[in-house]
Amino acid sequence: MLHTFVALVSDKPGVLTRVASLFRRLNINIVSLTVGESERPDVSRMTIVCEAPETAAHRIRASLYKLEITVDVDEVGRSEAVIRELCLIKVAAGPKTRSQIFELSDVFRARVVDLAPESIMLEMTGAASKIEGLIQVLKESDYEILEVSRTGRMAMRRGHHTSRVLKALGTPSSRKPETSDFAAKPEPDEILPNEFPHVHEEEEYDLTEAVDDHGEEA
Amino acid sequence: MLHTFVALVSDKPGVLTRVASLFRRLNINIVSLTVGESERPDVSRMTIVCEAPETAAHRIRASLYKLEITVDVDEVGRSEAVIRELCLIKVAAGPKTRSQIFELSDVFRARVVDLAPESIMLEMTGAASKIEGLIQVLKESDYEILEVSRTGRMAMRRGHHTSRVLKALGTPSSRKPETSDFAAKPEPDEILPNEFPHVHEEEEYDLTEAVDDHGEEA
């Protein structure tokens, strides 16, 4: 099952190494990861998509939250978030085939960002399935795809979520679970170093419930 | 100085850890990193932007190339590549201020991807400077920016570059430096484990020259 986590992390050297090693330790495969600037200059926003059993989600989340670089972690489901990806596709096309590529790119709302004598570069944003749709149509229409580059999925919760985010970013002391709807910080011994545990104490901190339990707090 | 590397890497668990640790060892700060699927199912494409002295570029490239997971590495300059980023911006806006946000998003060619009673989510692609432009205008117009999420820069060389990419992907034996315009594979002892060396043997393998020396091979 695919899980999507949004983590706000301090923008320090080595952040990526720590997050990547964490997933390596938990033995969970990262399907895609994007990191970029957030609404605060010293905080980066990461979207991590990983393949893991359904029961594993809250343990991943707790482990991420335990990293000292982490300001906040959120797990977002498909229905409650906008999940987009950016893709650049370079297709071989000469003067004769160009107009057909233009038509296709119109239908898929792609944009032409480069045009060379023998190739066209398209830019497209959308859900992964839409991007795969365009790539498949291009392939089946016998166009030669020269290069594909994708950013991986980026997720943002729908609607107005100020207090949730600003609370997390505002004061370091907001990391107390009892004052917010964030996940409770797990006890140190709950993080196993070398393998992903078969979850056996879900009842102790049902983070999924805490996540779903957010409303319009503003 | 900012350097942009495009690396084709095997899609295996632990790839991210290895790349992140490499930059950590070289003591080079990664400004942004994106990973996503490429034109081949088992190969991912990474764009890595890092801050490093100009003389360091070819050593980073050689170190990346040395990782066994790496199929190919390319360094791209601003002029010869399309560099794009995807950004999601959530702005607080009610019925009265919505139309002003719509106008701004038209000017910046942003798209409205979500609309809630008290907020609007915009999606925008472009160079980093363009994205920062919109964010700045929104801030200076006193709109409250609730959340910003950015993928980091993704780069693709302009024009037709089939043979370069397909050669790299086609056969494992194409990793011989003498048969292509790729960087020469450095000798094992040239990789220093714990710090970034003050480059002292640039003449031995001037990779930058090899990179610039590509033409339309097709």
Side-chain angles (χ1 to χ4, degrees):
Chain A
M1 191 195 163
L2 283 184
H3 298 276
T4 306
F5 296 93
V6 176
L8 291 162
V9 293
S10 309
D11 185 14
K12 288 179 186 159
V15 165
L16 199 63
T17 324
R18 299 197 59 178
V19 172
S21 323
L22 171 73
F23 278 84
R24 192 100 181 96
R25 277 204 310 281
L26 294 174
N27 202 17
I28 300 237
N29 200 16
I30 296 178
V31 175
S32 95
L33 184 146
T34 66
V35 213
E37 292 151 53
S38 73
E39 54 272 29
R40 278 280 180 104
D42 50 348
V43 174
S44 300
R45 224 182 135 96
M46 243 180 219
T47 305
I48 306 156
V49 181
C50 62
E51 177 70 51
E54 192 168 354
T55 48
H58 66 271
R59 194 161 281 260
I60 297 171
R61 200 185 132 149
S63 304
L64 271 172
Y65 195 65
K66 260 206 56 122
L67 294 177
E68 63 185 29
I69 46 157
T70 306
V71 180
D72 186 29
V73 185
D74 192 10
E75 197 199 347
V76 292
R78 185 178 288 265
S79 58
E80 60 203 355
V82 173
I83 301 182
R84 314 282 288 180
E85 191 173 351
L86 172 63
C87 179
L88 290 173
I89 306 171
K90 198 191 281 174
V91 195
K96 283 179 192 163
T97 46
R98 243 174 238 156
S99 57
Q100 295 157 37
I101 305 272
F102 291 159
E103 280 167 13
L104 273 181
S105 76
D106 268 355
V107 173
F108 280 87
R109 296 203 197 164
R111 289 171 184 168
V112 176
V113 288
D114 187 51
L115 202 149
E118 292 177 336
S119 68
I120 292 176
M121 199 193 298
L122 301 175
E123 171 200 86
M124 185 176 169
T125 58
S129 56
K130 189 181 151 197
I131 289 171
E132 276 144 26
L134 175 57
I135 293 173
Q136 207 185 338
V137 167
L138 286 170
K139 276 185 184 158
E140 286 178 3
S141 313
D142 282 335
Y143 294 113
E144 192 193 357
I145 294 182
L146 303 174
E147 289 183 68
V148 173
S149 190
R150 294 168 68 166
T151 57
R153 275 156 262 192
M154 188 164 70
M156 190 178 274
R157 271 187 188 277
R158 294 182 184 280
H160 190 78
H161 279 275
T162 356
S163 54
R164 189 183 168 81
V165 173
L166 294 184
K167 219 190 289 168
L169 288 170
T171 55
S173 63
S174 70
R175 287 189 62 161
K176 291 172 200 152
E178 60 277 18
T179 62
S180 70
D181 57 353
F182 296 163
K185 199 173 174 181
E187 294 304 310
D189 60 354
E190 287 175 9
I191 308 301
L192 304 188
N194 280 316
E195 56 163 359
F196 196 82
H198 298 287
V199 184
H200 53 278
E201 40 192 346
E202 288 135 346
E203 295 74 20
E204 264 191 70
Y205 52 103
D206 192 350
L207 309 189
T208 41
E209 212 175 357
V211 184
D212 294 339
D213 195 23
H214 70 275
E216 297 296 322
E217 307 105 317
Chain B
M1 189 194 163
L2 283 184
H3 299 276
T4 306
F5 296 93
V6 175
L8 291 163
V9 294
S10 308
D11 185 14
K12 287 178 187 160
V15 165
L16 199 62
T17 323
R18 299 199 60 179
V19 172
S21 324
L22 170 73
F23 278 84
R24 193 99 180 97
R25 276 204 310 279
L26 294 175
N27 202 18
I28 301 240
N29 199 16
I30 296 178
V31 175
S32 94
L33 184 146
T34 65
V35 212
E37 293 151 54
S38 73
E39 54 272 28
R40 278 281 180 103
D42 50 348
V43 174
S44 300
R45 222 181 138 97
M46 245 180 217
T47 305
I48 307 156
V49 181
C50 62
E51 178 68 53
E54 193 168 353
T55 49
H58 66 269
R59 196 163 279 262
I60 298 171
R61 199 186 132 149
S63 303
L64 271 172
Y65 194 66
K66 260 205 58 116
L67 294 178
E68 62 184 30
I69 47 157
T70 306
V71 180
D72 186 28
V73 186
D74 191 10
E75 196 198 348
V76 292
R78 186 178 286 264
S79 58
E80 61 204 353
V82 174
I83 301 183
R84 315 283 287 180
E85 191 173 350
L86 171 64
C87 179
L88 290 173
I89 305 171
K90 197 190 282 176
V91 195
K96 283 177 193 165
T97 46
R98 242 175 239 156
S99 57
Q100 295 158 35
I101 306 272
F102 291 158
E103 280 166 15
L104 273 180
S105 76
D106 268 354
V107 173
F108 280 86
R109 295 203 197 165
R111 290 170 183 169
V112 176
V113 288
D114 187 51
L115 201 150
E118 292 176 337
S119 69
I120 291 177
M121 199 192 300
L122 301 175
E123 171 200 86
M124 185 176 170
T125 58
S129 56
K130 189 182 153 196
I131 290 171
E132 277 144 25
L134 174 57
I135 293 173
Q136 207 185 335
V137 167
L138 286 171
K139 276 185 184 159
E140 287 179 3
S141 312
D142 282 335
Y143 294 112
E144 191 193 357
I145 294 182
L146 303 174
E147 289 184 69
V148 173
S149 189
R150 295 170 67 165
T151 56
R153 276 157 261 192
M154 188 164 70
M156 189 179 275
R157 270 188 189 277
R158 293 183 183 278
H160 191 77
H161 278 275
T162 356
S163 54
R164 191 182 168 79
V165 172
L166 294 185
K167 218 190 287 169
L169 288 170
T171 54
S173 63
S174 69
R175 287 190 60 162
K176 291 172 200 154
E178 60 278 16
T179 61
S180 70
D181 57 352
F182 297 164
K185 201 172 172 180
E187 294 304 310
D189 60 352
E190 286 174 9
I191 307 303
L192 304 188
N194 281 317
E195 55 163 0
F196 195 81
H198 299 286
V199 184
H200 54 277
E201 40 191 346
E202 288 133 348
E203 297 74 19
E204 264 191 70
Y205 51 102
D206 192 349
L207 309 189
T208 41
E209 214 176 355
V211 183
D212 293 339
D213 194 23
H214 70 276
E216 296 296 323
E217 307 106 317

